[in-house]
Amino acid sequence: MDTCRIPANTSKCSGNTMECFMVLSTQAQKISIGILCGLLGTMCVFENSLVLYLIFSSPGIRKKPSYLFIGSLALADILASIIFVCSFVNFHVFNEAGFSKEVFLLQLGGVNTCFSASLSSLLLTALDRYLSISRPSEYKLLMTRKRAWTALGVLWLTCATIACLPLLGWNCCVLDSSCSQLFPFVDDNYLSGWLCFVVVLLGCIIYAYAHVLWRARQHVAYMEQHQAQAGKQNTRMRMDVMLAKTLVMVLAVLVLCWSPVLALMIYSVFSRLSDRLRKVFAFCSTLCLLNSMVNPIIYALRSKELFSSLRRVFSHCRRRLKAAEESPEAESTHKSSVIET
């Protein structure tokens, strides 16, 4: 078992670094966390998988860079949910501490990569919406599919590199530095740097969406003044404004769900955390799953293209079920069952 310098408030853990971070002390707390992670994680994987299917099964939707970025967000949420639920439940509920430092940091790096990619996908979507609304005539030239895929590749590579730094040596065991109070083996300076990265991402997203909302309000006023000249351009403006408002709702949910976790992380860098606050952090971590679960619901309710694609999928499934019920095989089976009766 790898041992490092344990935070001062966990010195009573008798030197076993991993056990110091198992903060759920009662069976009720473990059952509650297990149920929350199981329900939210399952719903998150199902809903985001459906979003990915709707995007990539529709040629008209998957060709648009906007939905490539939304697809990246859905993929990041799926991977984050799977890795987070498996590692979190295994550690906090089943108290499994038999794996090595490298395995733990690999799991943590996977979670950080996916959550960082989720935030970065929102940033790319914000920039995409800003270009679409502020420069509609040049949008197709500026935002091509090739550039969108290149941006996504750079995004995932950057997030993976930053998240794997502890595994590559920036951890408190190798550096013999002070460990984080919230994560085993994680150096306090690395956690501070990662928090700065996330705060910068959130700041850029909020700044971009402030401009998107400002431009959207201008376009709404323009459409009201030129109602008689409504045409293809106005229809496209309405779609852009609708998608911009949809993604602002996604951002609002993101901030509400992530604020408690980020606040406790920042507090842990500057002050000691009590055992009670560390338990609160464990429960607040499940809000990240709630955020990933709510995003697809917002897409389905607000995006007309995704909603139309979802209706087509349901209609196709109903037709296939109806055809199966009315098929000769089904009819003969029904007759034979009546005869036997």
Side-chain angles (χ1 to χ4, degrees), residues 308-323:
S308 298
S309 181
L310 181 62
R311 290 181 61 184
R312 285 195 299 270
V313 170
F314 284 152
S315 298
H316 180 67
C317 292
R318 282 199 300 266
R319 286 197 299 268
R320 292 189 64 178
L321 289 174
K322 188 175 180 180

Side-chain angles (χ1 to χ4, degrees), residues 170-297:
W170 192 354
N171 58 74
C172 55
C173 293
V174 173
L175 301 177
D176 193 26
S177 56
S178 178
C179 293
S180 167
Q181 301 176 64
L182 296 173
F183 305 101
F185 313 122
V186 174
D187 180 69
D188 264 336
N189 292 326
Y190 171 79
L191 181 60
S192 301
W194 187 81
L195 285 171
C196 290
F197 173 66
V198 171
V199 170
V200 168
L201 276 180
L202 286 174
C204 292
I205 293 171
I206 293 172
Y207 179 80
Y209 273 121
H211 282 75
V212 168
L213 282 178
W214 177 63
R215 297 294 298 183
R217 292 189 63 180
Q218 286 187 329
H219 280 195
V220 169
Y222 173 84
M223 287 186 290
E224 290 176 352
Q225 292 177 1
H226 299 79
Q227 195 76 28
Q229 301 176 3
K232 186 176 180 180
Q233 184 178 3
N234 274 2
T235 301
R236 180 179 174 182
M237 284 184 181
R238 289 190 182 93
M239 292 179 63
D240 289 339
V241 170
M242 177 66 74
L243 188 54
K245 291 181 178 179
T246 298
L247 295 171
V248 168
M249 292 175 62
V250 172
L251 177 62
V253 173
L254 173 77
V255 172
L256 288 175
C257 291
W258 274 82
S259 293
V261 173
L262 292 177
L264 286 173
M265 285 185 185
I266 294 172
Y267 183 75
S268 71
V269 173
F270 299 101
S271 181
R272 293 182 183 178
L273 292 178
S274 64
D275 289 341
R276 182 181 178 183
L277 283 178
R278 295 167 72 210
K279 290 179 183 179
V280 170
F281 177 80
F283 278 92
C284 287
S285 298
T286 60
L287 290 175
C288 303
L289 289 176
L290 178 63
N291 169 67
S292 299
M293 187 192 75
V294 171
N295 285 346
I297 298 175

Side-chain angles (χ1 to χ4, degrees), residues 26-207:
T26 66
Q27 196 67 19
Q29 292 173 353
K30 295 179 181 180
I31 292 175
S32 300
I33 283 288
I35 293 175
L36 280 174
C37 289
L39 291 177
L40 295 178
T42 302
M43 291 298 297
C44 178
V45 171
F46 171 75
E47 292 174 0
N48 284 285
S49 297
L50 181 60
V51 169
L52 281 179
Y53 174 77
L54 294 177
I55 291 175
F56 290 99
S57 65
S58 176
I61 294 179
R62 69 168 177 256
K63 291 180 180 179
K64 298 182 178 180
S66 304
Y67 289 101
L68 290 179
F69 299 144
I70 291 177
S72 173
L73 176 62
L75 177 62
D77 286 339
I78 291 173
L79 296 177
S81 300
I82 295 173
I83 302 173
F84 176 82
V85 169
C86 292
S87 58
F88 193 80
V89 171
N90 191 41
F91 186 79
H92 284 289
V93 177
F94 298 108
N95 297 137
E96 179 60 48
F99 41 79
S100 65
K101 174 191 70 177
E102 289 74 18
V103 172
F104 180 85
L105 291 178
L106 181 62
Q107 293 176 349
L108 185 63
V111 173
N112 286 346
T113 297
C114 297
F115 279 132
S116 300
S118 179
L119 282 175
S120 301
S121 297
L122 274 177
L123 177 59
L124 288 181
T125 308
L127 297 175
D128 172 76
R129 288 299 88 204
Y130 177 74
L131 288 176
S132 177
I133 290 180
S134 63
R135 305 173 71 175
S137 60
E138 305 173 33
Y139 173 73
K140 289 186 177 181
L141 296 176
L142 294 173
M143 187 57 68
T144 61
R145 281 174 55 83
K146 182 178 179 180
R147 290 181 178 178
W149 281 111
T150 301
L152 288 175
V154 173
L155 177 158
W156 279 89
L157 181 61
T158 302
C159 292
T161 301
I162 294 174
C164 289
L165 288 177
L167 185 62
L168 297 176
W170 192 354
N171 58 74
C172 55
C173 293
V174 173
L175 301 177
D176 193 26
S177 56
S178 178
C179 293
S180 167
Q181 301 176 64
L182 296 173
F183 305 101
F185 313 122
V186 174
D187 180 69
D188 264 336
N189 292 326
Y190 171 79
L191 181 60
S192 301
W194 187 81
L195 285 171
C196 290
F197 173 66
V198 171
V199 170
V200 168
L201 276 180
L202 286 174
C204 292
I205 293 171
I206 293 172
Y207 179 80

